[in-house]
Amino acid sequence: AGVPPNLRTMTHAPGACQAALPAYEGTIRKRPLAFVNEGTGPAFVTCAFPGFEGGSFGGLTIWFTNFGDAAAVLRCTFVTGTAATGVPHAVPPVYTSRIRELPAGASDALFLTTGDATTDAPTSVSCALPPRVGVGDLAFGQEVEPNP
């Protein structure tokens, strides 16, 4: 029995995300089901997704919820690749931006598909969470070859 192909991992924000700077730590409420910006201005969070070396990127979905009473604009930048250069695992980074308006009280997802990302490279995302918006569930897919 080997590792099955088409793996999809899921987690809540506390398992994959953190405030991008110490200044945002005081505004991000780290709930079990979501990281929510409780401040009055945008707060940046960064989320990273573990994967298997040698596996191919199979897609990414991140769910957000607007807990506020007004629409909010969510801005995220996905990054696949590495910062390393001149080493065997170096993969030039690819940046993909997504913008989504979330109506008050609504949830929606941002997606990164195989056509948007570098294959066989680490994947992360940085989001500017508007006030009262939270990042919740995250799902990361990877195609891997079965072990003999």
Side-chain angles (χ1 to χ4, degrees):
V3 176
N6 306 321
L7 295 175
R8 189 159 172 90
T9 58
M10 294 185 70
T11 188
H12 293 297
C17 304
Q18 62 184 345
L21 291 170
Y24 300 124
E25 287 288 340
T27 63
I28 299 293
R29 180 174 175 199
K30 299 171 184 174
R31 300 176 178 182
L33 297 178
F35 272 21
V36 180
N37 178 2
E38 300 286 348
T40 58
F44 285 84
V45 296
T46 299
C47 307
F49 307 92
F52 293 99
E53 185 174 9
S56 296
F57 179 81
L60 174 64
T61 305
I62 305 176
W63 284 93
F64 298 88
T65 299
N66 182 350
F67 295 97
D69 55 6
V73 177
L74 176 68
R75 290 177 169 78
C76 295
T77 300
F78 294 89
V79 183
T80 57
T82 61
T85 59
V87 295
H89 71 276
V91 177
V94 173
Y95 299 88
T96 306
S97 295
R98 295 280 191 266
I99 298 173
R100 175 77 37 93
E101 183 170 324
L102 287 173
S107 295
D108 203 351
L110 293 180
F111 304 94
L112 190 66
T113 64
T114 54
D116 299 320
T118 301
T119 59
D120 190 20
T123 304
S124 59
V125 63
S126 176
C127 296
L129 294 180
R132 304 295 302 140
V133 171
V135 56
D137 303 333
L138 304 101
F140 178 68
Q142 200 173 21
E143 302 287 332
V144 296
E145 293 294 323
N147 290 336

